[in-house]
Amino acid sequence: MSRQASEFQFKAMSLAYRGKEIFKPLNTGRIDEHVACVREYIANIFFYTKNGATVMIDAGYSYPRLREKMGWLDIDPGSVRHILITHQDTDHVGAVETDSEQLFRGAKLYLSEIENRYLTGEARRKVYFGLYRLPMVRTDNERVLLKDGDVFDIDGIKIEAFLVPGHTWGHMDYLIDDKYLFTGDTLWFGPDGGYSFINALAEDNGVAIRSLAILERKLRERKISPRIITGHTGWTDDLEFAFRHRDKVCNSFRRQKPHDPNAPYDGYDERDDTEEKARATFSF
């Protein structure tokens, strides 16, 4: 599924979303001394490193340039032993599907036990308001199944899993070392703040909006303001900005308002994602 779906998105979705200011991925590089990212078309995958240990967050597309771009960051795919999966869409798991290049065949996958139902065939992923069922995802990687609120340690890295259903039924967000929150497709950032992610791709937009309110409450109750890092629209450390429009959904059928002058006309155009720029971010 992953190769076919990745190729379809590159060819077809770039036309469908061109000029709509929907996707604003970060270019390949480093956010800070702990977090690096690779850009894959309209999506980002992330790497969290501390004390020589690296955890990968999401596995992206079946992307032909993944090894190359990881090289820009001096990360060897063979060194990745642990991958946190927010959800099972092909732009988040493609590199661990059985028809991929299998760069991470030895890595252990962490995902919610609810999300795993898509991988076993007990549930089928639906998009476009339930009108279209996606093919089943297949992977041979070992899996660790998580529940909401699970806290665990990987090589001295503290990870807490938050169940945030709506985009998919088992979508997980991951809080790492209480300082970084990786949100996958929970949040969409416009120039005026955060919204619930794209309407046409959610299992249930109402559930997604309620999940955002719960997520915000958890962060505020703990009095923490982590760097909130999304799968498609960059990051912020401003809690007010991140949840400003938590009761609204990004509408994928029209050009976004307000206008965002920093949004690429075609998110699939990667000509500005270069090794030179990636290595220029190594100065943290």
Side-chain angles (χ1 to χ4, degrees):
M1 174 203 171
S2 64
R3 289 188 181 182
Q4 182 179 2
S6 297
E7 291 170 1
F8 171 79
Q9 289 197 27
F10 177 69
K11 294 176 181 178
M13 288 184 65
S14 62
L15 295 176
Y17 289 109
R18 192 170 292 173
K20 291 186 177 178
E21 303 181 357
I22 297 286
F23 297 109
K24 294 161 281 190
L26 300 169
N27 279 337
T28 302
R30 297 185 181 274
I31 294 175
D32 62 17
E33 68 274 19
H34 293 298
V35 180
C37 70
V38 164
R39 177 180 175 181
E40 298 185 345
Y41 306 133
I42 58 166
N44 285 121
I45 60 174
F46 297 94
F47 304 89
Y48 182 84
T49 301
K50 188 178 75 170
N51 300 329
T54 296
V55 173
M56 184 173 171
I57 299 93
D58 281 331
Y61 289 100
S62 181
Y63 182 66
R65 300 181 64 194
L66 179 52
R67 184 189 293 274
E68 173 196 353
K69 290 189 178 183
M70 288 181 68
W72 299 354
L73 302 170
D74 296 329
I75 299 175
D76 176 10
S79 71
V80 175
R81 312 302 299 173
H82 305 276
I83 305 177
L84 308 178
I85 301 295
T86 60
H87 64 293
Q88 65 92 66
D89 288 349
T90 196
D91 54 335
H92 294 260
V93 298
V96 293
E97 289 195 53
T98 53
D99 68 340
S100 71
E101 193 178 344
Q102 291 286 293
L103 295 179
F104 311 105
R105 63 177 61 87
K108 188 179 297 184
L109 308 183
Y110 300 75
L111 70 159
S112 81
E113 59 182 8
I114 297 173
E115 196 71 9
N116 189 58
R117 291 170 58 85
Y118 293 117
L119 275 64
T120 62
E122 297 171 75
R124 289 289 293 275
R125 174 77 166 107
K126 297 178 182 179
V127 294
Y128 294 105
F129 309 102
L131 299 176
Y132 183 71
R133 295 201 309 173
L134 296 178
M136 180 179 169
V137 167
R138 301 182 186 277
T139 177
D140 296 327
N141 290 66
E142 180 183 353
R143 303 173 206 167
V144 176
L145 304 185
L146 305 170
K147 295 183 176 66
D148 182 36
D150 279 354
V151 180
F152 53 102
D153 180 280
I154 297 177
D155 296 329
I157 298 170
K158 177 188 174 185
I159 302 166
E160 183 172 359
F162 294 142
L163 183 66
V164 190
H167 181 70
T168 65
W169 292 120
H171 193 295
M172 279 289 192
D173 289 5
Y174 296 98
L175 180 65
I176 297 186
D177 286 336
D178 295 316
K179 295 180 180 179
Y180 301 86
L181 182 66
F182 293 90
T183 64
D185 289 359
T186 299
L187 278 162
W188 179 88
F189 290 158
D192 60 338
Y195 295 72
S196 183
F197 198 70
I198 298 172
N199 56 354
L201 302 181
E203 294 278 10
D204 190 306
N205 286 296
V207 171
I209 287 172
R210 290 193 291 274
S211 292
L212 274 188
I214 293 170
L215 178 63
E216 181 187 18
R217 188 183 71 234
K218 288 179 179 179
L219 298 177
R220 292 193 182 280
E221 285 175 349
R222 297 187 189 192
K223 296 180 170 58
I224 60 174
S225 185
R227 289 194 169 184
I228 298 174
I229 304 172
T230 73
H232 298 274
T233 56
W235 65 275
T236 184
D237 55 8
D238 182 342
L239 207 63
E240 293 292 338
F241 176 89
F243 292 97
R244 184 165 294 154
H245 305 288
R246 62 185 174 276
D247 59 342
K248 298 177 183 177
V249 182
C250 172
N251 185 344
S252 62
F253 296 104
R254 61 169 173 81
R255 186 183 182 208
Q256 297 306 297
K257 295 181 180 179
H259 167 59
D260 185 352
N262 297 315
Y265 177 72
D266 182 359
Y268 288 82
D269 182 350
E270 298 180 293
R271 285 176 294 181
D272 63 339
D273 192 32
T274 67
E275 181 174 5
E276 179 182 11
K277 290 181 179 179
R279 292 194 175 276
T281 66
F282 279 37
S283 58
F284 296 103

